[in-house]
């Protein structure tokens, strides 16, 4: 069964600290993996999209890694800011099938001063 | 370039009614996907349209339908509303294929069914 699991479910960190969010998936055959940031009351915004051959991709203070062998991805946030407070959603795309996008339920990150 | 727009932003309906939501994609984008987001289930895929044709469909009942116009604008319709349909409905656009490319989401329509 194609699934995407994220951990932790929620996280509180101090401003300026780093954090890492995890995404494990069982989606097969794998096409790509995306990380989205969703502020409360707004639509998700794409942070990174990685294909099988990419194992690291950065977007400013956000760095995503992908291990296609172990089917794991992480999103590392460096020097967190209050504006990083949001839900982070991992989405994995499969190459075949009628419904090809599989969503994690997200990690709720709160950055406190 | 203007982003994805959705109207209305908020909607209150009662059980049994029907509702139509609208989505205007980013100019030049031809793929439009719809998602339902609830606190318990997270984001769930409804359907994807490309060049006025439904290309992909999620596991939702037939009460949920959609269409896409020649200008790529899309509408989603939910008939015979149920309490469980209360959710944030998100529309996302991409150039050709939302499964291969970055999708750009609109702000969503928050639907409350009483």
């Amino acid at each position: 069964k194609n699934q995407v699991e994220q951990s932790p479910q929620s996280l509180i960190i101090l401003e300026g600290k780093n954090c890492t969010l995890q995404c494990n998936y069982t989606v097969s055959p794998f096409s790509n993996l995306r990380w989205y940031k969703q502020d409360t009351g707004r639509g998700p915004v794409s942070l990174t999209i990685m294909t099988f051959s990419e194992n690291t991709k950065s977007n400013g203070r956000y760095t995503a890694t992908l291990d296609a062998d172990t089917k794991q991805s992480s999103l590392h946030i460096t020097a967190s800011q209050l504006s990083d407070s949001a839900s982070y959603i991992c989405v994995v795309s499969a190459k075949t099938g009628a419904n090809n996008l599989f969503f994690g339920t997200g990690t709720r990150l709160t950055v406190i001063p | 370039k203007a982003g994805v727009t959705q109207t209305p932003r908020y909607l209150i309906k009662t059980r049994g009614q029907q509702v139509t939501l609208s989505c205007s994609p980013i100019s030049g984008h031809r793929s439009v996907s719809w998602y339902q987001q609830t606190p318990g289930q997270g984001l769930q895929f409804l359907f994807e349209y490309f060049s006025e044709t439904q290309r992909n469909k999620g596991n939702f009942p037939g009460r949920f339908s959609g269409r896409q116009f020649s200008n790529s604008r899309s509408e989603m319709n939910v008939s015979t509303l149920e309490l469980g349909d209360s959710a944030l409905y998100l529309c996302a656009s991409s150039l050709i294929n939302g499964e291969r490319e970055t999708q750009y989401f609109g702000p969503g329509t928050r639907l409350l069914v009483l």
Side-chain angles (χ1 to χ4, degrees):
Chain A
K1 186 180 179 184
N2 290 315
Q3 285 185 311
V4 177
E5 294 185 353
Q6 292 186 244
S7 61
Q9 199 169 30
S10 61
L11 186 61
I12 300 174
I13 62 172
L14 289 174
E15 186 179 11
K17 296 296 185 183
N18 303 336
C19 68
T20 300
L21 314 181
Q22 298 290 344
C23 173
N24 297 337
Y25 62 92
T26 58
V27 177
S28 182
F30 175 86
S31 177
N32 61 66
L33 184 146
R34 312 143 188 239
W35 283 94
Y36 285 94
K37 176 188 179 188
Q38 185 175 21
D39 293 314
T40 302
R42 308 187 78 163
V45 174
S46 178
L47 294 174
T48 63
I49 179 170
M50 290 186 292
T51 58
F52 186 88
S53 59
E54 298 172 297
N55 53 24
T56 302
K57 188 165 271 192
S58 293
N59 179 355
R61 293 179 298 102
Y62 300 99
T63 299
T65 64
L66 172 65
D67 185 334
D69 292 331
T70 62
K71 298 188 176 180
Q72 295 179 326
S73 176
S74 64
L75 180 68
H76 186 73
I77 304 175
T78 304
S80 61
Q81 300 175 358
L82 297 179
S83 59
D84 293 331
S85 295
S87 288
Y88 291 84
I89 302 170
C90 175
V91 183
V92 181
S93 171
K95 282 185 178 177
T96 60
N99 182 3
N100 293 352
L101 286 176
F102 300 90
F103 293 82
T105 53
T107 292
R108 177 70 204 173
L109 174 66
T110 303
V111 181
I112 59 175
Chain B
K1 202 181 241 188
V4 178
T5 58
Q6 292 186 245
T7 57
R9 291 294 311 279
Y10 304 93
L11 205 49
I12 299 176
K13 292 284 187 178
T14 56
R15 279 180 297 175
Q17 286 187 307
Q18 72 148 21
V19 67
T20 299
L21 312 181
S22 180
C23 170
S24 292
I26 291 172
S27 177
H29 284 194
R30 293 165 62 191
S31 167
V32 174
S33 298
W34 287 90
Y35 299 90
Q36 181 195 67
Q37 187 175 37
T38 58
Q41 299 287 331
L43 271 165
Q44 294 186 88
F45 172 74
L46 280 157
F47 25 66
E48 182 202 10
Y49 285 88
F50 176 79
S51 292
E52 302 178 65
T53 301
Q54 187 181 88
R55 182 162 62 181
N56 212 345
K57 189 177 190 303
N59 299 320
F60 276 80
R63 299 186 296 108
F64 292 81
S65 63
R67 59 177 174 169
Q68 187 180 34
F69 302 95
S70 58
N71 61 359
S72 293
R73 190 178 70 85
S74 177
E75 286 182 348
M76 191 193 100
N77 185 276
V78 187
S79 62
T80 320
L81 284 167
E82 300 176 359
L83 295 179
D85 296 333
S86 294
L88 179 67
Y89 289 89
L90 291 161
C91 161
S93 79
S94 59
L95 274 171
I96 296 173
N97 189 330
E99 294 160 11
R100 302 282 183 266
E101 306 156 352
T102 298
Q103 287 185 308
Y104 297 86
F105 283 82
T109 294
R110 188 163 294 281
L111 172 65
L112 177 62
V113 181
L114 301 175

